Amino acid sequence: MARQLTNPTHRADVVVVGARCAGAATALLLASAGHEVVLVDRSALPSDTLSTHAIARSGMVQLNRWGLLPAVLDAGTPPIREVEFHAGQLSVTRTIKDRSGVGMLVAPRRHILDALLVEAAVAAGARLTTGVTVDGVRRRFDGRVTGITGRRDNHVVEIAARFVVGADGRSSRIARAVDAPFTEVRSAASSTHYAYFAGHWPAMEYHLGDRMFAGVFPTNNGEACVWVCTADDVAQRFRRSHATIDASFDAMLHAAAPALAERIRSDGLRRSTTRGVIGLSNHIRHPVGAGWALAGDAGYHRDPITGHGISDAFRDAELLADALDDIIRGKDHERSALADYHAMRDSQLREIFEITCELVTYPPVERFVELQRQLDVAIDTQAATLAARPLPRLIAA
């Protein structure tokens, strides 16, 4: 039960819960438009988070439009200009074409990318508070959400706001607090494991095996994120039959992509322990209500096999920031503006969501390859749609 708001510590136009890709980007765009924004997160920043951190062309368009791509590259993130795809006897290398204003991909470590987004949001005027564990939302007598309540260093934190944005991940506390319903839930029968390896990594790589999909994302510090996606029953079998998660990862990688596994067997190449997760959900939530909205994984989560999570977060951030900007400035009615955000988000996520849900069934090779081609087209289409949007206020000004 939400308590009545009394003696708020802060007041703002918008409080954004979650200061990573979706939340920091939303705060950046709203603060740049002149609105009072408070950005909160439970973690100390910068810090890492579970992510294979590739950014698709659609996400690259957003970084470029927001003027942040140079900072990502200046942080030592390598530009990726070639993609390799290997499936049995098929081996294809292609150069990334210049489309929608970008001719490269990047896969920055999250402690670098998230920090750049937060720094840009704070520079634009957002107020950042970390170490905040959000307990729930505040409500008015008519049920409208009017802020959040939480704890920081054993002290109560209360923030009153015209809008609350939940950008706090797939297990979003805000989504649960506002009872945002799931509108679609699909099977969670896949897994992802990854580790970091030193070496020469000139291209983004994809390797298709039997019910397994592996790859390489070049990243900062001369390392690459090497990952394996597979059906959850396959991953569980490997985990049970090996003494450590690193040993199970090595075995999974060898089963999925023997040539890639042989390349990284040399002593000293591994730079991290393995991280992984089994049974990630594929779901869509209703993302808006009176005084609240959801962005990124809080409102829509799909398996990482399509590598589109960061790009989804950036898309939602811009669509939602535009809607809230119009509402706060009185240019549009709240209900219609939030309904438009909901409709645009659902329209733009649909094709990639469907492709993802089929990919994690690990269909026969021919179908898997065809789905990858469909994915490429869907991403390019979304990138073109985003590139054609009016520039955000921080650029247009």
Side-chain angles (χ1 to χ4, degrees), residues 23 61-62 95 103 154 183 187 232 234 308 342:
V61 165
Q62 301 299 76
T95 300
N154 296 319
T183 58
S187 172
D232 59 355
V234 175
H308 208 255
H342 183 184

Side-chain angles (χ1 to χ4, degrees), residues 124-157:
R127 288 181 288 165
L128 172 68
T129 303
T130 58
V132 176
T133 299
V134 174
D135 295 323
V137 296
R138 300 286 188 166
R139 293 184 187 272
R140 207 166 58 188
F141 66 91
D142 58 0
R144 179 183 178 85
V145 171
T146 58
I148 64 167
T149 181
R151 291 166 287 109
R152 183 174 187 266
D153 296 331
N154 296 319
H155 297 289
V156 173
V157 174

Side-chain angles (χ1 to χ4, degrees), residues 51-56 80 105-108 110 204 206 217 227 307-311:
S51 173
T52 54
H53 52 79
I55 304 179
I80 303 167
L105 301 178
V106 294
R110 289 296 300 273
M204 187 174 280
Y206 297 92
F217 293 155
W227 49 268
H308 208 255
I310 294 173
S311 301

